Amino acid sequence: MSKISACLKDIHTWSLFNHLQLNIQKTELIHITSRFRKSLPLQPSSVLDLKPSSEVRNLGVYMDSHMRMDANINAICRSAIVGNRKIGLIRRFLDRETTTRLVHAFISSRLDYCNSIHVALPKTLLRKLQMLQNSAARLVCQTNRRDHITPILHELHWLPVKERVNFKILLLTYKSLHGLVPKYIDNVLTPQSSCRHLRSKSQNRLVPAKVKTISYGHRALSYAAPMLWNSLPNYI
């Protein structure tokens, strides 16, 4: 905590020197740890009035101390449900094209924002987002809630929530292989190499990182991206 306090004081001094204002009262601190390990909690700083929080918001994404993503998904649900209800109130006055645009603006945009952090999450959490997408799809197509959702999503050409997350990871991987992402993303993806001439050498395969846990390790970009990328058919 003393190092963190010293760092914040340096940032505060630098900001004043460059005619900027840093609001220490709005500065948050979170200690991210595994829920499977017991770790000593951070003590409040004696230099600055800064106490560790169990949940913080960064660029619109809610993060908790164990990275379970419950808070972020609940926030998405609250926001999207409001949009869904408002569109439902005026649905009978709208045509299908206009309804689709409103759904993309108020619901799909929230489901897709930073959704790559939802990779390999438990099905119970992703089911909440899938139910929102199902409700939005039925709103557009004006179908009964008892109708099977798969044909409706096919008709709208919408990927389910889990596949949308995987698509975002694969798109990021593709950009990494073609030099279209920052260097820090390239550094976590390792191309497969071999001394022998193998057919897989021309397929741009990646080496998954070695992980010790499923709950956290399988959610890392260094593991999830190579696993999804290598599972694609060769022609893709």
Side-chain angles (χ1 to χ4, degrees):
M1 285 300 296
S2 60
K3 292 182 179 180
I4 294 175
S5 299
C7 180
L8 285 173
K9 288 188 69 175
D10 290 342
I11 295 174
H12 183 61
T13 303
W14 181 90
S15 300
L16 291 176
F17 182 79
N18 289 276
H19 308 290
L20 300 172
Q21 185 172 0
L22 176 67
N23 193 341
I24 297 294
Q25 301 300 323
K26 292 185 177 181
T27 302
E28 294 181 297
L29 171 68
I30 185 169
H31 183 203
I32 298 177
T33 61
S34 170
R35 66 179 184 271
F36 302 112
R37 294 180 180 179
K38 291 185 178 180
S39 58
L40 295 175
L42 292 177
Q43 299 300 320
S45 171
S46 59
V47 181
L48 298 172
D49 185 19
L50 187 63
K51 298 179 181 179
S53 303
S54 59
E55 180 185 309
V56 298
R57 185 182 181 186
N58 184 29
L59 297 177
V61 175
Y62 289 88
M63 294 181 289
D64 58 274
S65 57
H66 296 317
M67 293 299 287
R68 293 183 178 181
M69 306 312 299
D70 304 61
N72 189 57
I73 288 180
N74 290 337
I76 293 173
C77 291
R78 286 194 300 269
S79 177
I81 286 173
V82 172
N84 203 12
R85 286 176 178 173
K86 290 182 177 180
I87 298 172
L89 291 174
I90 60 173
R91 176 63 181 94
R92 62 183 182 275
F93 304 113
L94 305 173
D95 57 19
R96 178 164 171 168
E97 182 181 357
T98 305
T99 306
T100 303
R101 290 182 179 180
L102 290 175
V103 165
H104 286 324
F106 293 101
I107 302 172
S108 300
S109 60
R110 286 162 173 76
L111 295 177
D112 291 338
Y113 179 69
C114 290
N115 63 343
S116 57
I117 61 177
H118 297 154
V119 66
L121 281 181
K123 294 180 180 179
T124 52
L125 288 178
L126 293 179
R127 190 180 295 122
K128 295 181 180 181
L129 301 181
Q130 187 59 57
M131 290 175 64
L132 273 175
Q133 189 191 45
N134 295 349
S135 178
R138 291 190 173 98
L139 185 64
V140 172
C141 296
Q142 291 184 303
T143 57
N144 193 292
R145 64 187 306 176
R146 296 182 178 179
D147 294 340
H148 195 53
I149 193 62
T150 301
I152 300 175
L153 295 178
H154 274 291
E155 180 185 348
L156 293 172
H157 200 65
W158 289 5
L159 284 173
V161 170
K162 182 179 178 180
E163 279 65 36
R164 292 168 91 96
V165 173
N166 292 344
F167 176 78
K168 184 69 71 65
I169 296 291
L170 289 169
L171 184 62
L172 194 64
T173 307
Y174 175 84
K175 290 182 177 181
S176 175
L177 293 174
H178 291 79
L180 302 175
V181 295
K183 195 67 178 177
Y184 64 85
I185 295 180
D186 282 335
N187 292 337
V188 301
L189 301 179
T190 307
Q192 190 179 65
S193 59
S194 176
C195 299
R196 296 179 296 169
H197 183 72
L198 303 175
R199 285 182 296 177
S200 60
K201 190 174 182 180
S202 60
Q203 296 171 4
N204 292 327
R205 292 183 174 272
L206 300 172
V207 180
K210 294 182 180 180
V211 296
K212 296 181 179 179
T213 62
I214 295 177
S215 300
Y216 291 105
H218 285 190
R219 291 168 56 189
L221 183 66
S222 56
Y223 178 87
M227 293 298 292
L228 291 172
W229 183 260
N230 294 343
S231 66
L232 288 176
N234 294 333
Y235 70 91
I236 292 183

